[in-house]
Amino acid sequence: MRPSTIWYIIKQGFKNIRRNWMFSVASILNMAACIFLVGVFYVIMANVNHNVRLAEGKIPITVFFEIGTTQEEIDWVGEQIRARPDVQTITFVSADEAWDNFSKTMFPENSAAAEIFRDDNPLVNDSNYQITVNNISLQSSLVKYIEGLDHVREVKQSVRAADFLTDFIRMLNIVSLVIIGILLLLSLFLISNTVSIGISVRKEEISIMKYIGATDRFVRAPFVLEGVLLGAVGAAIPLISLYFVYETAIRYIWEYFNVLSGSVEFLSVERVYRVLLPMGILLGVGVGYLSSSFTSRRHVRV
Amino acid sequence: MIDLVDVTKSYGKGLPALNHATLHIEKGEFVFVVGTSGSGKSTLIKLLLKELDATSGNITVSGERLNRMRPRRIPKFRRKIGVVFQDFRLLKDRNVYENVAFAQRVIGRPTRVIKSRVPEVLQEVGLADKYKSFPDELSGGEQQRVALARALVNRPDILLADEPTGNLDPRTSDEIMALLDQVNERGTTVLVVTHNKDIVNAMRKRVVTMRNGVIVSDEQEGAYHEA
């Protein structure tokens, strides 16, 4: 395509937007609202996911050994477990440490009770490994693997907590995807409408173009460009505003709800935008391109 | 240049709009197609532009078999044909120069070619000094000249004119027909669909008469026969 033709198409694309400026503004605002909501959902989801992942690291698996297992054999079991990619941390707890932990929990204000068993540790066979996983949904398969290892007597895990977190993440993802999908469909529809109106306004011009011998691509190009521009501007507005809204929201939460500081951790705006920025632009431009391309193909038949 | 062999075009169950029409037009000919409303003249133009497909029969225009033409090929085919309509079909928001340049722009001509060709063709139709005017500032005859310039700017093999004098007074109609005659003298095949009896009779060109979709007469240096 010649530069003069490309320039002509660009000028026509902008002209279309100017000519139907009210519909263009409506499309941009709708796209902006959709991408803003998509952004808000993403921010919430990313933060919930982040905190759930942190929580996953706090649900351990405990591995006990057969009576009479030597330290070398315990080390061997540790090496096998450490080699698994889904293991986040693995800590050895000796029988003495196990008793100390137990007595601190059971007799926090009565050390005399703990002293009775000092020379006769009831947990002598309960040295163990405390393991945390990278992804809670993989816990069951890891447990199965460990149960199959030699010298392992018993593996304990918090099945309910693991299952709850797995289900919660899955449900959150589904709900978010459904809502985002509905919003994007709405954007598709509105941009398609704007382009349709642009085409009907220029029907005469299009028919002349067709008689003169313009190709299908040439006739459609300004409309496709119009859709892409509407999508891009519609994406830029919420992405810029959400950047500042998110920063302000985090500052506000820490200022007024500092009780959360120990239990909740927010992702930094830069980290959120590493995904949200390309995703938002891609969505805006993609929805604009798809809707205008489809609509112009339907209406402009050469 | 234009060949129709036993062409029929039906829109529905009624009488066909074009009924077993056979017509042969040589390169460089000037032909009038005449007939009352509903005689099939407009259908003929639409078939020649590949705006419609024939129900049966074969159509060849400028060496291209229209029956077998793929949709992708249609734009390139149409570049060989210039079209002029009764209602001019000019773009109201563009001036004379831009209206004519538009025809070159849409087929991807470079700007330097457009800049040299558009004034040339405006000179041919006698509008060189009005290139900055907008359609609303022009008379009917001048608007039709712009439409003619637009049809000619890409140097088509064939010029199709659908009632080109339908909205014009007799004097202006004569001027437009004189222009079409000049275009024909330069070698372009011209096919004019018209009701205008005076013009047809004055010019003494080949006349094809249609009635109810049928070609009823085809005369060299013919005249307009009432139905």
Side-chain angles (χ1 to χ4, degrees):
Chain A
M1 211 179 260
R2 287 177 191 282
S4 60
T5 309
I6 294 169
W7 179 235
Y8 173 81
I9 289 167
I10 292 170
K11 275 202 299 189
Q12 291 306 311
F14 278 99
K15 218 180 212 180
N16 287 349
I17 293 174
R18 235 187 13 247
R19 212 176 276 176
N20 311 310
W21 69 270
M22 274 171 68
F23 284 98
S24 302
V25 168
S27 295
I28 288 172
L29 289 180
N30 178 70
M31 176 60 90
C34 287
I35 291 189
F36 187 83
L37 286 173
V38 167
V40 168
F41 269 102
Y42 174 74
V43 164
I44 293 170
M45 220 178 77
N47 277 294
V48 170
N49 259 319
H50 176 67
N51 282 283
V52 166
R53 297 269 174 251
L54 290 177
E56 280 173 3
K58 291 171 187 163
I59 301 171
I61 299 169
T62 312
V63 180
F64 296 99
F65 312 103
E66 286 168 348
I67 295 165
T69 304
T70 65
Q71 190 57 46
E72 286 75 29
E73 287 163 341
I74 291 172
D75 291 344
W76 177 84
V77 171
E79 278 166 29
Q80 303 307 306
I81 296 170
R82 218 170 268 118
R84 297 274 296 189
D86 37 357
V87 171
Q88 191 180 63
T89 61
I90 173 164
T91 315
F92 179 69
V93 179
S94 67
D96 289 343
E97 284 167 331
W99 172 246
D100 278 350
N101 293 340
F102 179 78
S103 56
K104 271 178 201 160
T105 314
M106 291 305 288
F107 319 112
E109 284 161 10
N110 189 358
S111 55
E115 280 299 311
I116 296 169
F117 296 101
R118 169 171 282 278
D119 298 322
D120 189 16
N121 184 354
L123 302 181
V124 67
N125 292 317
D126 283 346
S127 62
N128 60 71
Y129 279 122
Q130 298 275 325
I131 301 158
T132 57
V133 289
N134 291 322
N135 184 340
I136 198 77
S137 65
L138 300 172
Q139 202 182 74
S140 299
S141 65
L142 181 66
V143 167
K144 254 184 202 155
Y145 170 76
I146 297 170
E147 280 171 345
L149 290 174
D150 289 342
H151 315 298
V152 171
R153 183 181 80 218
E154 189 186 4
V155 180
K156 282 190 175 169
Q157 62 165 331
S158 180
V159 177
R160 280 187 64 188
D163 287 351
F164 170 77
L165 281 176
T166 306
D167 292 346
F168 181 71
I169 292 169
R170 194 177 296 145
M171 193 191 70
L172 193 72
N173 286 339
I174 291 170
V175 169
S176 304
L177 283 175
V178 168
I179 293 172
I180 288 169
I182 292 168
L183 292 172
L184 288 178
L185 275 178
L186 192 68
S187 294
L188 269 169
F189 174 74
L190 270 156
I191 290 190
S192 162
N193 254 5
T194 307
V195 170
S196 291
I197 289 161
I199 289 171
S200 69
V201 167
R202 293 183 61 193
K203 205 116 206 157
E204 179 75 7
E205 189 176 334
I206 290 166
S207 90
I208 294 167
M209 281 170 138
K210 286 154 83 176
Y211 281 126
I212 290 167
T215 58
D216 196 6
R217 221 168 55 172
F218 184 90
V219 177
R220 287 174 49 219
F223 298 108
V224 174
L225 180 70
E226 181 188 353
V228 168
L229 286 172
L230 293 178
V233 177
I237 295 169
L239 286 174
I240 293 167
S241 54
L242 201 61
Y243 187 94
F244 296 105
V245 168
Y246 182 60
E247 268 191 335
T248 313
I250 292 176
R251 238 195 345 263
Y252 180 85
I253 290 169
W254 286 143
E255 206 176 316
Y256 293 95
F257 301 95
N258 56 7
V259 65
L260 294 172
S261 61
S263 49
V264 176
E265 189 180 300
F266 288 106
L267 291 167
S268 69
V269 71
E270 287 78 18
R271 200 162 151 200
V272 169
Y273 266 67
R274 237 176 272 158
V275 175
L276 187 59
L277 185 68
M279 183 174 83
I281 292 172
L282 203 72
L283 277 179
V285 171
V287 167
Y289 173 80
L290 282 179
S291 58
S292 57
S293 178
F294 177 74
T295 309
S296 60
R297 193 183 293 270
R298 196 154 49 99
H299 290 289
V300 183
R301 290 230 168 92
V302 178
Chain B
M1 184 57 60
I2 297 175
D3 254 316
L4 278 84
V5 181
D6 201 23
V7 174
T8 297
K9 174 66 192 174
S10 303
Y11 291 107
K13 282 184 176 175
L15 272 175
L18 204 63
N19 198 354
H20 297 286
T22 295
L23 180 66
H24 176 75
I25 296 172
E26 290 288 344
K27 187 172 189 283
E29 268 196 282
F30 191 118
V31 181
F32 282 113
V33 177
V34 300
T36 52
S37 295
S39 60
K41 307 189 299 289
S42 296
T43 299
L44 176 66
I45 292 265
K46 284 177 180 169
L47 287 169
L48 295 178
L49 280 169
K50 186 69 180 167
E51 207 182 326
L52 293 175
D53 289 321
T55 310
S56 66
N58 289 320
I59 304 174
T60 308
V61 178
S62 197
E64 308 245 18
R65 284 283 290 274
L66 302 196
N67 312 52
R68 292 179 190 168
M69 188 176 280
R70 290 184 177 181
R72 284 178 62 184
R73 176 90 196 118
I74 296 173
K76 285 227 166 94
F77 159 71
R78 285 185 181 157
R79 291 173 195 181
K80 296 179 178 180
I81 302 174
V83 204
V84 175
F85 299 97
Q86 180 176 352
D87 55 359
F88 322 129
R89 298 199 191 172
L90 300 177
L91 300 169
K92 302 264 187 281
D93 60 339
R94 288 169 219 201
N95 64 27
V96 168
Y97 180 91
E98 288 161 345
N99 262 285
V100 179
F102 180 66
Q104 296 227 289
R105 191 79 68 196
V106 298
I107 63 166
R109 289 273 185 274
T111 306
R112 75 188 148 71
V113 172
I114 297 173
K115 278 183 177 168
S116 84
R117 176 65 183 147
V118 174
E120 197 178 284
V121 77
L122 284 176
Q123 185 80 43
E124 280 174 31
V125 299
L127 281 177
D129 56 336
K130 296 218 167 176
Y131 71 98
K132 279 186 180 170
S133 305
F134 282 84
D136 289 343
E137 298 164 357
L138 301 174
S139 68
E142 286 169 331
Q143 289 188 54
Q144 194 59 292
R145 282 167 191 260
V146 180
L148 186 58
R150 187 181 62 195
L152 295 173
V153 73
N154 293 328
R155 296 193 171 91
D157 297 339
I158 300 166
L159 180 69
L160 300 180
D162 190 1
E163 302 282 5
T165 60
N167 283 351
L168 306 176
D169 60 64
R171 209 181 121 222
T172 316
S173 298
D174 289 342
E175 287 171 11
I176 292 296
M177 292 317 295
L179 270 175
L180 290 178
D181 206 17
Q182 282 172 27
V183 169
N184 176 243
E185 277 166 16
R186 285 197 288 268
T188 307
T189 307
V190 178
L191 190 146
V192 180
V193 166
T194 186
H195 278 118
N196 195 322
K197 188 180 169 183
D198 296 337
I199 280 172
V200 174
N201 291 339
M203 288 183 77
R204 307 305 295 179
K205 301 284 187 184
R206 181 177 167 190
V207 179
V208 174
T209 307
M210 297 184 72
R211 195 177 301 143
N212 297 328
V214 178
I215 294 174
V216 292
S217 73
D218 184 352
E219 299 171 311
Q220 295 295 335
E221 296 185 18
Y224 194 121
H225 302 292
E226 295 291 350

